[in-house]
Amino acid sequence: MATNDRVYSLVHMVLTVYPKVIRPVILRYVQQQVTPVDTSGSALDNFLYRNRAIVFQSTIGEDRQDVFFPRNEESDIEQWDVHMLVWLILNVCPDLDEDVRAAGQRLHNLSEDILNVLNDTNEQSRFVEIMKRDIQTCLKFIQDNNLTKTITKEIDEMGSSQPGQYLSNPDELHKWHNAAKKVKDRFKDTRGKLHDAFIGMYVTMMASQLL
């Protein structure tokens, strides 16, 4: 695969393929969390309502409030962007399969590193292979044979000599990276630990208070 095609494939994996598997991951998890008191509304809406305090306390929850909780209608997960999907997995799904959570974490980390990756052919190849494995991990969790066939075919065609419709604009990754920066300050896991990207900042702050 030529370098330019590799970049386009990376873009498509991040912005198109990942959401196609993360959405059903969330919906499957949410369905597993249905409680006896959830007698009306969708399982997703009930789940969001139970976890509304976590959502509203986050930067992304404040910024996407109308998407998480649209007025007079149910939340439509198809309207959620990648950041919303990943944020929910990392912050509101504490007992989700660890391998699936790790896949979400790697996607989040990629948003930090993507500009460097776009300039490094070896990193491009490495991330594409990592994402392929992570996507397969998500598909195993979802257990939908039709979706698995569709996604596998799409990934296979991306690697062909004529990717055609599976080429996406690299500029979209820059937009994705910039959007990630707006919400990264509140990307914490459900156990209250800051992600590695922010541990240094936290330690510095605590040390200054002891001086």
Side-chain angles (χ1 to χ4, degrees), residues 22-185:
I22 294 179
R23 288 187 178 101
V25 161
I26 291 173
L27 292 177
R28 179 170 174 79
Y29 176 82
V30 165
Q31 193 61 44
Q32 294 172 347
Q33 306 303 309
V34 170
T35 69
V37 298
D38 295 334
T39 57
S40 63
S42 70
L44 179 60
D45 279 340
N46 286 320
F47 179 79
L48 288 172
Y49 182 77
R50 287 197 303 273
N51 293 281
R52 62 192 181 282
I54 299 174
V55 176
F56 288 139
Q57 288 170 6
S58 68
T59 299
I60 197 167
E62 294 171 357
D63 187 58
R64 312 286 207 282
Q65 179 177 340
D66 290 342
V67 185
F68 277 122
F69 298 98
R71 293 190 177 186
N72 303 320
E73 58 183 298
E74 296 182 344
S75 186
D76 182 1
I77 200 170
E78 294 297 327
Q79 302 302 315
W80 296 15
D81 62 28
V82 179
H83 302 299
M84 295 173 68
L85 297 167
V86 173
W87 180 86
L88 195 84
I89 283 178
L90 296 182
N91 292 272
V92 198
C93 304
D95 51 353
L96 179 64
D97 180 271
E98 282 297 323
D99 290 338
V100 178
R101 280 178 58 85
Q105 179 65 67
R106 279 188 286 271
L107 179 58
H108 170 60
N109 291 345
L110 180 59
S111 71
E112 297 284 322
D113 301 330
I114 194 62
L115 299 186
N116 294 327
V117 172
L118 289 178
N119 295 317
D120 188 323
T121 301
N122 291 331
E123 283 295 278
Q124 292 164 15
S125 298
R126 186 172 74 89
F127 270 107
V128 167
E129 291 307 310
I130 288 172
M131 285 189 285
K132 285 181 180 180
R133 291 196 297 270
D134 284 345
I135 286 169
Q136 290 302 319
T137 295
C138 292
L139 289 170
K140 288 180 182 178
F141 175 79
I142 298 165
Q143 298 181 358
D144 182 327
N145 290 334
N146 289 333
L147 180 63
T148 297
K149 290 178 182 178
T150 299
I151 295 298
T152 300
K153 178 182 177 182
E154 185 169 342
I155 292 174
D156 289 344
E157 290 184 357
M158 281 171 46
S160 69
S161 58
Q162 296 181 327
Q165 62 179 310
Y166 300 118
L167 294 182
S168 302
N169 189 345
D171 289 342
E172 293 301 314
L173 273 188
H174 289 266
K175 296 178 183 178
W176 179 66
H177 169 74
N178 291 332
K181 290 193 295 186
K182 294 180 180 179
V183 296
K184 71 177 183 179
D185 61 313

Side-chain angles (χ1 to χ4, degrees), residues 105 108-109 112 184-189 192-208:
Q105 179 65 67
H108 170 60
N109 291 345
E112 297 284 322
K184 71 177 183 179
D185 61 313
R186 298 289 184 85
F187 260 93
K188 302 177 182 178
D189 71 21
K193 297 178 182 178
L194 292 173
H195 289 312
D196 292 342
F198 313 112
I199 287 178
M201 183 189 305
Y202 178 74
V203 171
T204 301
M205 179 187 70
M206 294 301 294
S208 66

